[in-house]
Amino acid sequence: MTARDDDSAPLIVLGAGGHAKVLIDALRLAGRRVLFAVDADPARHGGSVAGVSIRGGDDLVLSQAPADVLLVHGLGSTRQCEDRLRLFDRMKQHGYRFARVVHPSAVVSPTAHLAEGAQILAGAVIQTDAVLEDDVIVNTNASVDHDCRVGRHSHVGPAACLGGGVRVGERTHIGAGATIIQYRTLGAGVLVGAGAVVVRDLPDGVTAYGVPARIVPAEPR
Ligand code: JB2
């Protein structure tokens, strides 16, 4: 599937926090129709997020036939991506599909590959032959250069920059404004701190901060 998402099915947003608001905004600008949102917090039920009503919890999704709707993954991440993975996999087990979200101001190469549920937010740039696997977020003003590959459920934070040919494993969180220089490889479950400059490969599961980025003992996530 290329950058364009032609599926016009109505949308249900999972989660009703900050990330969901940003997604709803992008969807509206792209002319997409959002049916309602669901949230794990019962105190939010009956309220709204960015003008979209919050009708209940995730079980409400199950009352909709999987063929009739597309889901939008509204859980963001600030340090770890496991919650996104858990919710995505739960809904996939029930047969649901996730919509791609591409803000109209994003620049996406026609040769980039956006897998199911990829989210490209305002001002982001996805360059030629980049591959974003399932459920990846490329947040506001971030850039993913040519031939990068970003693994499932990973999050490229606002204004982060991936040079050409960077490889990122699954569930890796790259903090706001971080830079990964060209052709480096980051493992799965890595946390890169905001503003870090990564000049060496990083193995699975590490936390790295600073300029140049150094591996530090992980704080509890
Ligand atoms: O399993 C769930 C679930 N777990 C938490 N299902 C559903 N449907 N909702 C769930 N939630 C809900 O997600 C919480 O009850 C809460 O209302 C919402 C998360 O909102 P919050 O604003 O705390 O975080 P966020 O994930 O929307 O946004 C974070 O990540 C973004 C990338 C924020 O830090 C943002 O500032 C950031 N831009």
Side-chain angles (χ1 to χ4, degrees):
M1 183 71 85
T2 57
R4 219 162 143 241
D5 183 358
D6 284 325
D7 202 328
S8 58
L11 304 167
I12 299 173
V13 178
L14 308 179
H19 191 56
K21 281 178 80 166
V22 170
L23 293 168
I24 291 167
D25 214 37
L27 289 164
R28 275 214 187 92
L29 286 167
R32 302 295 297 269
R33 186 161 75 93
V34 180
L35 282 179
F36 59 85
V38 293
D39 196 277
D41 180 0
R44 305 287 312 273
H45 301 169
S48 66
V49 53
V52 170
S53 59
I54 306 165
R55 300 245 177 102
D58 293 337
D59 287 348
L60 185 62
V61 174
L62 307 181
S63 66
Q64 307 282 323
D68 293 346
V69 294
L70 282 171
L71 305 185
V72 175
H73 203 326
L75 296 195
S77 75
T78 49
R79 296 174 62 77
Q80 50 92 7
C81 306
E82 268 71 16
D83 289 346
R84 284 180 64 79
L85 163 74
R86 175 185 50 75
L87 188 53
F88 185 90
D89 282 354
R90 179 180 175 216
M91 291 301 171
K92 289 302 293 175
Q93 279 161 14
H94 286 285
Y96 292 93
R97 300 162 299 145
F98 282 78
R100 294 172 195 77
V101 179
V102 179
H103 192 285
S105 70
V107 176
V108 181
S109 164
T111 61
H113 177 88
L114 309 186
E116 179 173 356
Q119 302 176 345
I120 317 300
L121 300 181
V125 179
I126 312 297
Q127 276 287 12
T128 180
D129 286 334
V131 175
L132 306 182
E133 296 181 1
D134 292 346
D135 196 36
V136 161
I137 305 172
V138 179
N139 219 320
T140 312
N141 270 339
S143 61
V144 174
D145 222 295
H146 66 91
D147 301 300
C148 285
R149 184 173 195 106
V150 183
R152 300 176 86 233
H153 313 293
S154 289
H155 179 178
V156 181
C161 169
L162 272 53
V166 167
R167 301 269 155 163
V168 177
E170 297 182 3
R171 294 171 286 101
T172 281
H173 179 95
I174 299 172
T179 297
I180 319 296
I181 71 164
Q182 66 281 358
Y183 295 106
R184 296 308 182 262
T185 297
L186 278 54
V190 169
L191 169 61
V192 176
V197 176
V198 176
V199 297
R200 296 197 176 87
D201 293 352
L202 295 174
D204 292 350
V206 299
T207 296
Y209 286 115
V211 182
R214 294 189 193 289
I215 295 173
V216 297
E219 296 164 23
R221 294 192 185 183

